[in-house]
Amino acid sequence: MTTSASDLVQAFTPSGRLRASINLGNPILAGRGADGQAKGVSVDLARAFAERLGVALDLVVFDTAGQSVEAVKAEQADIGFFAIDPLRGEGIRFTAPYVLIEGCYLVRADSPLQDKAEVDTAGHSVVVGKGSAYDLFLTRELKAATILRAPSSPAVVQSFLDENADVAAGVKQQLEADAARLGGLRLLPGCFMVIQQAMGLPAGRGAAAQAALAAFVEEMKASGFVAEALRRHGIQGAAVAPAA
Protein backbone atom coordinates (compact mmCIF):
# COMPACT_ATOMS: atom_id res chain seq x y z
CA MET A 1 0.00 0.00 0.00
CA THR A 2 1.39 3.41 -0.94
CA THR A 3 1.79 6.14 1.65
CA SER A 4 -1.07 8.13 0.12
CA ALA A 5 -3.39 5.11 0.23
CA SER A 6 -2.39 4.46 3.82
CA ASP A 7 -3.13 8.07 4.71
CA LEU A 8 -6.53 7.79 3.06
CA VAL A 9 -7.42 4.69 5.08
CA GLN A 10 -6.32 6.50 8.24
CA ALA A 11 -8.54 9.47 7.36
CA PHE A 12 -11.58 7.21 7.15
CA THR A 13 -10.75 4.86 10.03
CA PRO A 14 -9.07 6.69 12.93
CA SER A 15 -10.39 3.93 15.21
CA GLY A 16 -8.96 1.21 12.97
CA ARG A 17 -12.43 0.19 11.71
CA LEU A 18 -14.90 1.90 9.39
CA ARG A 19 -17.91 3.04 11.40
CA ALA A 20 -20.95 3.56 9.14
CA SER A 21 -23.95 5.48 10.46
CA ILE A 22 -27.14 3.73 9.30
CA ASN A 23 -30.57 5.38 9.51
CA LEU A 24 -33.46 2.91 9.84
CA GLY A 25 -36.00 5.73 9.62
CA ASN A 26 -35.96 5.76 5.81
CA PRO A 27 -37.19 2.42 4.39
CA ILE A 28 -35.66 3.23 1.00
CA LEU A 29 -32.18 3.12 2.54
CA ALA A 30 -32.26 0.58 5.34
CA GLY A 31 -34.39 -1.58 7.59
CA ARG A 32 -34.11 -4.67 9.77
CA GLY A 33 -34.11 -8.14 8.29
CA ALA A 34 -35.80 -11.22 9.76
CA ASP A 35 -32.66 -11.77 11.85
CA GLY A 36 -32.91 -8.28 13.34
CA GLN A 37 -29.80 -7.05 11.56
CA ALA A 38 -29.68 -3.88 9.49
CA LYS A 39 -30.00 -4.42 5.75
CA GLY A 40 -30.59 -2.26 2.69
CA VAL A 41 -28.92 -0.17 0.03
CA SER A 42 -26.94 1.93 2.50
CA VAL A 43 -25.68 -1.17 4.29
CA ASP A 44 -24.56 -2.69 0.98
CA LEU A 45 -22.69 0.50 0.07
CA ALA A 46 -21.04 0.64 3.49
CA ARG A 47 -19.82 -2.94 3.12
CA ALA A 48 -18.51 -2.27 -0.38
CA PHE A 49 -16.62 0.81 0.78
CA ALA A 50 -15.08 -1.04 3.74
CA GLU A 51 -13.93 -3.75 1.32
CA ARG A 52 -12.47 -1.04 -0.91
CA LEU A 53 -10.45 0.31 2.01
CA GLY A 54 -9.53 -3.19 3.22
CA VAL A 55 -10.87 -2.61 6.73
CA ALA A 56 -13.47 -4.12 9.04
CA LEU A 57 -16.92 -2.53 9.18
CA ASP A 58 -19.02 -1.53 12.18
CA LEU A 59 -22.63 -0.50 11.60
CA VAL A 60 -23.75 2.27 13.96
CA VAL A 61 -27.52 2.00 13.71
CA PHE A 62 -30.06 4.74 14.51
CA ASP A 63 -33.83 5.06 14.26
CA THR A 64 -33.88 8.63 12.94
CA ALA A 65 -32.02 10.72 10.38
CA GLY A 66 -31.26 13.37 12.99
CA GLN A 67 -29.43 10.89 15.22
CA SER A 68 -27.51 9.51 12.25
CA VAL A 69 -26.43 13.00 11.17
CA GLU A 70 -25.27 13.95 14.66
CA ALA A 71 -23.17 10.80 14.95
CA VAL A 72 -21.16 11.77 11.87
CA LYS A 73 -20.90 15.43 12.86
CA ALA A 74 -19.55 14.35 16.26
CA GLU A 75 -17.16 11.88 14.58
CA GLN A 76 -18.79 8.96 16.34
CA ALA A 77 -19.12 7.50 12.82
CA ASP A 78 -16.86 7.85 9.79
CA ILE A 79 -19.43 7.79 6.97
CA GLY A 80 -23.18 8.09 6.72
CA PHE A 81 -26.10 8.17 4.31
CA PHE A 82 -28.14 11.36 4.25
CA ALA A 83 -30.41 13.62 2.28
CA ILE A 84 -28.37 16.60 1.13
CA ASP A 85 -29.44 19.71 3.03
CA PRO A 86 -27.70 23.05 3.69
CA LEU A 87 -28.04 22.76 7.47
CA ARG A 88 -26.38 19.37 7.53
CA GLY A 89 -23.54 20.72 5.41
CA GLU A 90 -22.24 22.66 8.40
CA GLY A 91 -20.52 19.57 9.76
CA ILE A 92 -20.69 17.03 6.93
CA ARG A 93 -19.19 16.92 3.46
CA PHE A 94 -21.48 15.24 0.93
CA THR A 95 -20.91 13.29 -2.24
CA ALA A 96 -23.21 13.73 -5.21
CA PRO A 97 -26.48 11.82 -4.70
CA TYR A 98 -26.73 8.10 -5.46
CA VAL A 99 -30.52 7.81 -5.14
CA LEU A 100 -33.41 10.22 -5.71
CA ILE A 101 -36.53 9.83 -3.53
CA GLU A 102 -39.89 11.60 -3.70
CA GLY A 103 -41.34 13.39 -0.69
CA CYS A 104 -45.15 13.37 -0.74
CA TYR A 105 -48.22 14.42 1.23
CA LEU A 106 -50.85 12.05 2.64
CA VAL A 107 -54.35 13.01 3.79
CA ARG A 108 -57.53 11.29 4.89
CA ALA A 109 -59.74 9.96 2.10
CA ASP A 110 -62.45 12.55 2.92
CA SER A 111 -60.05 15.49 3.18
CA PRO A 112 -61.01 18.54 1.10
CA LEU A 113 -57.35 18.86 0.04
CA GLN A 114 -56.85 17.76 -3.55
CA ASP A 115 -53.53 19.35 -4.52
CA LYS A 116 -50.15 19.88 -2.85
CA ALA A 117 -50.44 23.63 -3.49
CA GLU A 118 -53.39 23.74 -1.07
CA VAL A 119 -51.39 22.47 1.92
CA ASP A 120 -49.63 25.69 2.93
CA THR A 121 -52.70 27.46 4.28
CA ALA A 122 -53.32 28.97 7.70
CA GLY A 123 -55.07 26.48 9.95
CA HIS A 124 -53.56 23.40 8.31
CA SER A 125 -51.23 21.16 10.35
CA VAL A 126 -48.53 19.05 8.69
CA VAL A 127 -46.80 16.16 10.50
CA VAL A 128 -43.16 15.39 9.65
CA GLY A 129 -40.46 13.17 11.18
CA LYS A 130 -38.34 15.27 13.53
CA GLY A 131 -34.97 16.13 11.99
CA SER A 132 -35.78 14.44 8.67
CA ALA A 133 -35.03 15.97 5.28
CA TYR A 134 -38.74 16.76 5.02
CA ASP A 135 -38.68 18.57 8.35
CA LEU A 136 -35.70 20.70 7.29
CA PHE A 137 -37.19 21.47 3.85
CA LEU A 138 -40.75 22.21 4.98
CA THR A 139 -39.54 24.33 7.90
CA ARG A 140 -38.00 26.61 5.28
CA GLU A 141 -40.78 26.40 2.70
CA LEU A 142 -44.10 26.39 4.54
CA LYS A 143 -45.17 29.92 5.45
CA ALA A 144 -48.73 29.53 6.74
CA ALA A 145 -49.31 25.90 7.77
CA THR A 146 -48.23 24.62 11.20
CA ILE A 147 -45.59 21.88 11.40
CA LEU A 148 -45.98 19.10 13.97
CA ARG A 149 -43.05 16.75 14.55
CA ALA A 150 -43.35 13.01 15.07
CA PRO A 151 -40.52 11.20 16.92
CA SER A 152 -39.34 9.53 13.70
CA SER A 153 -40.28 9.22 10.03
CA PRO A 154 -41.95 5.77 10.41
CA ALA A 155 -44.12 7.27 13.19
CA VAL A 156 -45.45 10.12 11.02
CA VAL A 157 -48.74 8.57 9.90
CA GLN A 158 -49.66 7.32 13.37
CA SER A 159 -48.86 10.75 14.82
CA PHE A 160 -50.93 12.34 12.04
CA LEU A 161 -53.89 10.19 13.09
CA ASP A 162 -53.35 10.66 16.84
CA GLU A 163 -52.99 14.44 16.51
CA ASN A 164 -55.95 14.69 14.11
CA ALA A 165 -53.65 16.65 11.79
CA ASP A 166 -54.51 17.64 8.23
CA VAL A 167 -51.47 16.32 6.36
CA ALA A 168 -48.66 13.78 6.81
CA ALA A 169 -45.40 14.38 4.92
CA GLY A 170 -42.70 11.83 4.20
CA VAL A 171 -41.15 9.21 1.94
CA LYS A 172 -43.66 8.26 -0.76
CA GLN A 173 -43.14 4.51 -0.25
CA GLN A 174 -43.61 4.73 3.53
CA LEU A 175 -46.83 6.73 3.11
CA GLU A 176 -48.15 4.33 0.46
CA ALA A 177 -47.46 1.34 2.70
CA ASP A 178 -49.18 2.97 5.68
CA ALA A 179 -52.18 3.97 3.54
CA ALA A 180 -52.56 0.40 2.28
CA ARG A 181 -52.20 -1.01 5.80
CA LEU A 182 -54.57 1.39 7.58
CA GLY A 183 -57.11 2.28 4.88
CA GLY A 184 -59.07 5.50 4.59
CA LEU A 185 -56.02 7.48 3.46
CA ARG A 186 -54.72 8.78 0.12
CA LEU A 187 -51.69 10.56 -1.29
CA LEU A 188 -51.99 13.95 -2.94
CA PRO A 189 -50.82 13.90 -6.57
CA GLY A 190 -47.18 14.63 -7.31
CA CYS A 191 -44.39 15.31 -4.84
CA PHE A 192 -43.41 18.41 -2.87
CA MET A 193 -39.69 17.67 -3.12
CA VAL A 194 -37.18 15.26 -4.63
CA ILE A 195 -34.67 14.20 -2.04
CA GLN A 196 -31.06 13.69 -3.04
CA GLN A 197 -29.66 10.84 -0.95
CA ALA A 198 -25.87 10.98 -0.71
CA MET A 199 -23.01 9.62 1.32
CA GLY A 200 -21.19 11.92 3.69
CA LEU A 201 -18.24 12.12 6.06
CA PRO A 202 -17.18 14.44 8.89
CA ALA A 203 -16.12 17.83 7.50
CA GLY A 204 -12.69 17.64 9.12
CA ARG A 205 -11.53 14.46 7.36
CA GLY A 206 -9.95 16.40 4.48
CA ALA A 207 -10.35 17.02 0.76
CA ALA A 208 -8.66 13.78 -0.30
CA ALA A 209 -11.10 11.68 1.74
CA GLN A 210 -14.06 13.62 0.39
CA ALA A 211 -12.84 13.13 -3.19
CA ALA A 212 -12.33 9.40 -2.63
CA LEU A 213 -15.85 8.95 -1.26
CA ALA A 214 -17.29 10.98 -4.13
CA ALA A 215 -15.45 8.83 -6.68
CA PHE A 216 -16.71 5.66 -4.96
CA VAL A 217 -20.32 6.83 -5.25
CA GLU A 218 -19.91 7.64 -8.94
CA GLU A 219 -18.43 4.20 -9.56
CA MET A 220 -21.26 2.48 -7.68
CA LYS A 221 -23.84 4.28 -9.80
CA ALA A 222 -22.07 3.72 -13.11
CA SER A 223 -21.37 0.02 -12.47
CA GLY A 224 -25.03 -0.79 -11.73
CA PHE A 225 -24.29 -1.61 -8.06
CA VAL A 226 -26.90 0.87 -6.74
CA ALA A 227 -29.57 -0.22 -9.23
CA GLU A 228 -28.99 -3.88 -8.38
CA ALA A 229 -29.14 -3.14 -4.64
CA LEU A 230 -32.49 -1.40 -5.10
CA ARG A 231 -33.82 -4.43 -7.00
CA ARG A 232 -32.40 -6.91 -4.51
CA HIS A 233 -34.10 -5.19 -1.57
CA GLY A 234 -37.39 -4.78 -3.40
CA ILE A 235 -37.29 -1.00 -3.44
CA GLN A 236 -39.69 0.62 -5.90
CA GLY A 237 -40.15 4.30 -6.72
CA ALA A 238 -36.56 5.34 -6.01
CA ALA A 239 -34.33 6.22 -8.95
CA VAL A 240 -30.57 5.95 -9.30
CA ALA A 241 -29.24 9.49 -9.46
CA PRO A 242 -27.56 10.59 -12.70
CA ALA A 243 -23.77 10.88 -12.91
CA ALA A 244 -22.37 13.96 -11.22
Side-chain angles (χ1 to χ4, degrees):
M1 179 178 292
T2 65
T3 301
S4 60
S6 178
D7 289 344
L8 190 62
V9 170
Q10 178 59 33
F12 278 108
T13 61
S15 69
R17 302 169 66 90
L18 182 69
R19 300 166 298 173
S21 181
I22 302 296
N23 167 31
L24 298 182
N26 186 336
I28 300 295
L29 303 181
R32 290 197 184 277
D35 60 358
Q37 299 301 306
K39 67 179 185 68
V41 177
S42 59
V43 175
D44 293 350
L45 284 168
R47 287 186 176 131
F49 191 60
E51 291 175 5
R52 177 68 53 86
L53 294 176
V55 298
L57 175 68
D58 290 331
L59 299 180
V60 188
V61 179
F62 298 98
D63 291 326
T64 69
Q67 293 171 323
S68 184
V69 167
E70 289 307 313
V72 174
K73 283 186 175 182
E75 302 214 16
Q76 295 169 349
D78 307 303
I79 60 170
F81 301 83
F82 318 109
I84 297 173
D85 185 271
L87 286 179
R88 292 174 178 173
E90 294 172 1
I92 294 174
R93 295 293 176 263
F94 295 104
T95 67
Y98 61 91
V99 164
L100 304 178
I101 302 172
E102 292 182 337
C104 295
Y105 290 133
L106 175 141
V107 297
R108 291 172 179 79
D110 60 358
S111 170
L113 294 174
Q114 298 296 326
D115 188 270
K116 62 184 179 181
E118 301 170 0
V119 170
D120 193 16
T121 302
H124 287 166
S125 53
V126 181
V127 180
V128 299
K130 183 178 180 180
S132 67
Y134 315 100
D135 183 4
L136 300 178
F137 178 83
L138 293 175
T139 295
R140 292 192 296 269
E141 296 298 319
L142 295 184
K143 307 303 180 186
T146 299
I147 295 178
L148 305 176
R149 293 175 174 86
S152 66
S153 292
V156 162
V157 173
Q158 191 59 55
S159 294
F160 155 79
L161 294 173
D162 293 344
E163 298 281 347
N164 197 30
D166 299 293
V167 181
V171 176
K172 180 179 181 180
Q173 288 77 5
Q174 180 77 60
L175 298 180
E176 286 178 330
D178 287 341
R181 176 173 57 86
L182 297 169
L185 305 169
R186 60 182 169 85
L187 268 67
L188 295 182
C191 64
F192 63 82
M193 72 180 297
V194 175
I195 298 169
Q196 298 181 316
Q197 289 289 345
M199 292 184 70
L201 71 164
R205 296 296 175 89
Q210 183 179 1
L213 192 60
F216 169 77
V217 166
E218 293 308 305
E219 181 183 335
M220 293 298 101
K221 290 187 293 186
S223 69
F225 182 98
V226 175
E228 175 55 31
L230 290 171
R231 285 193 294 270
R232 185 168 56 254
H233 294 291
I235 303 301
Q236 298 179 346
V240 179

